[in-house]
Amino acid sequence: MYQYDDYDRRIIVERAQQFRGQVARRLTGEITEEEFKPLRLQNGLYMQLHAYMLRVAIPYGLLSSTQVRKLAHIARTYDRGYGHLTTRQNIQYNWPKLTDVPAILDELASVEMHAVQTSGNCVRNITADHFAGIARDELEDPRPYCEILRQWSTFHPEFAHLPRKFKIAMTGAPGNDRAAVRFHDIGVRIVENAQGERGFEVLVGGGMGRTPLIGEVIREFLPKPHLLSYIESILRVYNLHGRRDNKYKARIKILVSALGIDEFRRRVDEDWEASRTPALELPDAEVARVSAFFAPPPYQVLPADDQVGVIQLGRDRVLGNWVSNNVDAHKVPGYSAVVISVKQPGIPPGDVSDTQLDAIADIADRYSFGHVVVTHTQNLVLPDVRTSELPRLHAELRALDLGEANANKITDVITCPGLDYCDLANARSIPLSLEIAARFDRVDYLNDVGDVSIKISGCINACGHHHVGNIGILGIDKRGEEFYQLMLGGSPGNDASIGKILGRALAQDEIVDAVEKVLDRYLEIRESPDERFLDAVRRVGFDPFKVAVYGSADPLDAGGD
Amino acid sequence: MQIIRDRAIVDDDFVHVPDGAELPEAGKPIVTLAHYARARETLLARYPTVGVRVPSDKLPTDIPELARVALVAIEFPKFTDGRGYTVGRMLRERHAFRGELRAVGWVLRDQLRYLERCGFNAFELKPGKPLESALEAFDELAGTYQAAVDDPRPIYRRR
Ligand code: SF4
């Protein structure tokens, strides 16, 4: 993975020093809370319902075991013994003290980490495919470009006060988008043109929140050297013309849809022609320098046998089931990618304890060349595990309560923090996810239903990505009571779609029943076990599900539209 | 009034002239963009040095005969309004503006470094904010990754 040189190290150390001064000036009252807010936000410090929350950047989700140990240490020393994995491949701490934050930043800097630009109206952490570098369907590893973008975006002097936050995601697997690039302010796909040259397809204006939109292609093929100058032009047009009068209309997607993609593209191209210089072009040597950090680890040459299949059919059903659900194909024969589910019954999705983190670091050292990846589905990946070691690894993970075999299944729920932590929430989301986990904690049912994503947001801001859940749940407020809207049909991937509301909102004691009815109806109507939930919904439409949930497809009974 | 210019605290030798206010006998006025656009010939004939105060929603191309202007003051109505950073860069990089580029309005110490990198060389801090300690801000975050006005080379041409 990328290693800081003196230059990178100096920049991060200087930042920690600067923030120490800012905190001191806030404490003396030299700067007001209003003036301090953007400063702390750009250092990852949020004010939540009960306390500050510190969000630590994990560029493109990749961690070394040393860094994981440091995260464990921070959880133990400065928090209540756990951290929370986020949907943007970061980790956040919910209980740090303001006066401890400079010390935490120093700790992070010691392992080449930081909390820079993890919140605030600036370019946020760049996210990527969590199987980057190991996926069989990948054209090229996106992480070197993500790192180059990370450096470019870090303390960019022109774009620190954008109209609103700005998120960029990248995938090198154009046929299988695991990074939801169509739902980002900018999405980048590595593609090959008709001449067989590699470059970038650039999408703009996707997003969730109150106004979910699928990103549109602004440039079909951008030659690689122009990555930074072109993205900079997009940012510049946005910085000048994005709305600043209403924070709910301030994201770039609103500007793109107001102008139309063609006019937006024209403005970007105009700026690009005026601003690009030869000096901005990305030299091959720099790409090579950064790429070298992501060179494959020293894999052993192993035969391409079918050990995975053997384990799946073996006598140990628990192991076989875990391998079926949580182990993914690797591009190197004899190796597998392992998803560690951080969705355990009774634990808020994405919460990991300090002892678990320490143990994961040790496991990563012993099984996966010391690397761990955070996924945007709030799980962890061990990217490079020898397939023959899967049984041993699984036993170790189970001993840590991390052996749940539910990756991509209904209990692999994504949730936002909701009313338990967030002052914007209408409804609780964590207890709902726990109820879902408890209700469907039956291996056979889980496997029968197959791959279904459930995503829960506590309010319309959609931090839980409910718009792109195959089943989306949105907390709303109905006369002071917590209610939930049920949505079906969303997908974040290549077949991107935004879920639609099934019918009238459901009360707290109805919503999980409704999910079960929807799933049961799916089992009845699917053409074969190979027809995924999402495909069945797309084929039959909403009526059968309305009947299942509301007893009738009549809008008068089902409500909504 | 004191301002920061070229990383030093100096007495301001310009005077702001709001719309409708009396022009000074002599000296260096900073007039509004609307005033300048309306009466530029008279102003430039009367004063050897003229500054223009530009609202945050204007672009460099909105300033007629930029080359004859000695100072451009970009307004920051809120410290979170970041348009001026782009306008500053454009003035320096695309319009070769060599005069004084001044940030006015809700300008805070913690913006000085980025503003300077975007081409600003003069700063009127928000009233009540200490100037002396603000000078330290220029030495914070000395390391940079991007090309900007202070250095047109991105990090990969400097490493
Ligand atoms: S979706 Fe709403 S409730 Fe959930 S974290 Fe975001 S703002 Fe808070």
Side-chain angles (χ1 to χ4, degrees), chain A residues 2 5 7-8 10-12 14-15 18 22 25 30-32 34-36 38-39 42 117 148 150-162 228 232 236 239-241 244 270-271 274-275 277-283 286 289, chain B residues 56-59 78-87 89-90 93-94 106 108-111 113-115 117-118 126 128-130 133-134 136-137 139-150 152-159:
Chain A
Y2 188 73
D5 66 5
Y7 214 93
D8 303 303
R10 172 179 158 201
I11 286 174
I12 291 309
E14 284 177 345
R15 176 59 151 205
Q18 182 195 39
Q22 290 167 344
R25 290 201 297 287
E30 182 185 324
I31 44 180
T32 64
E34 183 188 12
E35 292 165 348
F36 181 58
L39 305 177
Q42 303 221 355
Q117 292 172 209
I148 288 167
R150 181 192 74 80
Q151 296 184 14
W152 160 82
S153 67
T154 300
F155 311 138
H156 198 302
E158 190 180 344
F159 305 128
H161 300 282
L162 296 167
L228 299 184
E232 195 155 293
R236 190 168 295 123
N239 192 36
L240 286 176
H241 303 292
R244 290 174 186 270
E270 189 180 271
D271 184 86
S275 62
T277 63
L280 289 179
E281 287 181 21
L282 199 51
E286 173 66 358
R289 180 188 81 88
Chain B
S56 62
D57 61 346
K58 296 294 184 225
L59 294 175
K78 279 210 81 177
F79 58 97
T80 50
D81 184 339
R83 288 176 284 192
Y85 294 82
T86 288
V87 173
R89 260 192 99 174
M90 286 175 144
E93 291 176 350
R94 293 187 211 173
W106 199 334
L108 302 172
R109 166 213 160 111
D110 288 294
Q111 274 134 270
R113 172 80 182 125
Y114 285 2
L115 284 168
R117 295 202 62 213
C118 288
K126 188 183 183 212
K129 298 293 178 184
S133 58
E136 293 162 16
D139 296 316
E140 289 173 353
L141 297 185
T144 60
Y145 284 118
Q146 314 75 11
V149 176
D150 55 343
R153 296 167 308 158
I155 177 71
Y156 44 80
R157 304 207 179 265
R158 289 183 263 137
R159 249 192 230 272

Side-chain angles (χ1 to χ4, degrees), chain A residues 416-419 422-427 429 456-464:
Chain A
C416 77
L419 199 54
C422 174
D423 48 5
L424 301 171
N426 290 322
S429 44
I456 307 173
S457 302
C459 82
I460 197 165
N461 288 323
C463 305

Side-chain angles (χ1 to χ4, degrees), chain A residues 45 286 398 431 458 473 484:
Chain A
L45 198 58
E286 173 66 358
R398 282 186 79 188
I473 297 175
Y484 297 92

Side-chain angles (χ1 to χ4, degrees), chain A residues 173-196:
Chain A
N176 188 5
D177 173 12
R178 285 171 287 257
V181 299
R182 286 168 185 77
F183 289 97
H184 281 75
D185 297 288
I186 289 180
V188 182
R189 303 166 70 219
I190 300 177
V191 292
E192 221 161 52
N193 67 7
Q195 289 74 49

